[in-house]
Amino acid sequence: WEWKPLAAGSERLTIAPDVAKFNGKYYMSGNGAPLYRADHILGPYAEVGSWQDPEGRKVPDIPTTNGLPRRVFDVQMFVDKDNRPYVFMAYGQTGGVWVAPLDPNQPNRMTSAPKDLIKSNLDHVWERAGNANERGNFSYMEGPWVFERNGTYYLQYSAGGTEWQTYATGYYTAKSPLGPYTAVQDTPLLRNVTGVNTGPGHGSAVKGPDGNWWQFYLTVLNNPPGGRRR
């Protein structure tokens, strides 16, 4: 790998960036960032605009029904096999993941109100916070990543919190990007609490040029506590 700086206008692109190719352009966003666009994957990227609902309200101002504020957090712009774009974001904490379809001509604008898909389920012991999953009243669900394979949509997410070695990756499945999504029996997909690569989470599954599927993820270090490595 060779590090490349990305020119993203005058704004500082924050953590957890995501890049998607759509209609010959490359789109990038990240935590707290608007949507950017470039002709080449390495940029330079220019701002398209803030994430907005059909009424023009920016993400922090879009109403919710779960009592948690909506924010631009852990963004994934997903382009389906029919070339329709969607945006997935996480609430963080126990709020879960939401989705909205995007306007192909103005992809920072949603064409309908955001739809809540999944939220923390503390009956899933592995989702609970703590190095022994002992915090039965709290979790931190984040890092949504959706991909389609053979007509099934897989929604990956991570839970627990990146400061814990129990940080892990689970997934739900659906027959549409908009859901409904159903939990599966063999989750968590990735979990390891001993050795070097503890806390595998906040990753993505991609199909490589060789046709094989690859899973990327970060790990949580013992020292410093909560230190992340990709």
Side-chain angles (χ1 to χ4, degrees), residues 32-74:
L35 183 65
Y36 296 94
R37 179 173 55 212
D39 292 327
H40 305 282
I41 194 168
L42 295 180
Y45 284 82
E47 182 175 337
V48 176
S50 300
W51 295 102
Q52 301 175 22
D53 73 358
E55 299 179 32
R57 294 175 294 193
K58 296 181 180 180
V59 164
D61 302 320
I62 301 174
T64 64
T65 59
N66 60 13
L68 292 173
R70 203 183 302 276
R71 55 191 174 130
V72 179
F73 182 64
D74 287 357

Side-chain angles (χ1 to χ4, degrees), residues 162-187:
T162 56
E163 65 268 45
W164 312 113
Q165 291 173 270
T166 52
Y167 194 52
T169 299
Y171 71 104
Y172 283 64
T173 62
K175 292 300 182 182
S176 162
L178 298 175
Y181 283 84
T182 303
V184 293
Q185 296 298 316
D186 59 347
T187 195

Side-chain angles (χ1 to χ4, degrees), residues 17-218:
D18 166 74
V19 176
K21 187 177 183 180
F22 176 58
N23 287 347
K25 304 289 185 179
Y26 293 89
Y27 291 87
M28 177 173 61
S29 189
N31 290 0
L35 183 65
Y36 296 94
R37 179 173 55 212
D39 292 327
H40 305 282
I41 194 168
L42 295 180
Y45 284 82
E47 182 175 337
V48 176
S50 300
W51 295 102
Q52 301 175 22
D53 73 358
E55 299 179 32
R57 294 175 294 193
K58 296 181 180 180
V59 164
D61 302 320
I62 301 174
T64 64
T65 59
N66 60 13
L68 292 173
R70 203 183 302 276
R71 55 191 174 130
V72 179
F73 182 64
D74 287 357
V75 180
Q76 185 204 7
M77 182 176 169
F78 169 72
V79 181
D80 201 2
K81 56 188 177 182
D82 61 3
N83 204 41
R84 293 182 182 180
Y86 300 82
V87 65
F88 291 80
M89 297 193 198
Y91 283 100
Q93 301 183 30
T94 57
V97 176
W98 58 269
V99 64
L102 298 174
D103 183 344
N105 299 312
Q106 193 176 353
N108 64 307
R109 292 286 297 264
M110 306 168 196
T111 57
S112 63
K115 178 182 180 182
D116 291 342
L117 296 177
I118 61 173
K119 62 181 181 179
S120 293
N121 182 351
L122 296 177
D123 289 336
H124 299 162
V125 175
W126 73 269
E127 290 189 18
R128 300 175 185 175
N131 266 337
N133 298 117
E134 73 276 11
R135 300 190 176 187
N137 62 344
F138 185 75
S139 178
Y140 207 94
M141 179 180 279
E142 59 185 3
W145 181 267
V146 172
F147 66 95
E148 183 271 340
R149 183 173 182 271
N150 297 333
T152 297
Y153 294 83
Y154 296 84
L155 169 54
Q156 286 190 25
Y157 66 98
S158 294
T162 56
E163 65 268 45
W164 312 113
Q165 291 173 270
T166 52
Y167 194 52
T169 299
Y171 71 104
Y172 283 64
T173 62
K175 292 300 182 182
S176 162
L178 298 175
Y181 283 84
T182 303
V184 293
Q185 296 298 316
D186 59 347
T187 195
L189 175 67
L190 296 172
R191 186 177 189 270
N192 186 40
V193 297
T194 60
V196 177
N197 293 319
T198 58
H202 203 144
S204 58
V206 297
K207 190 175 184 179
D210 59 358
N212 291 320
W213 285 87
W214 297 80
Q215 176 71 35
F216 293 83
Y217 58 89
L218 60 79

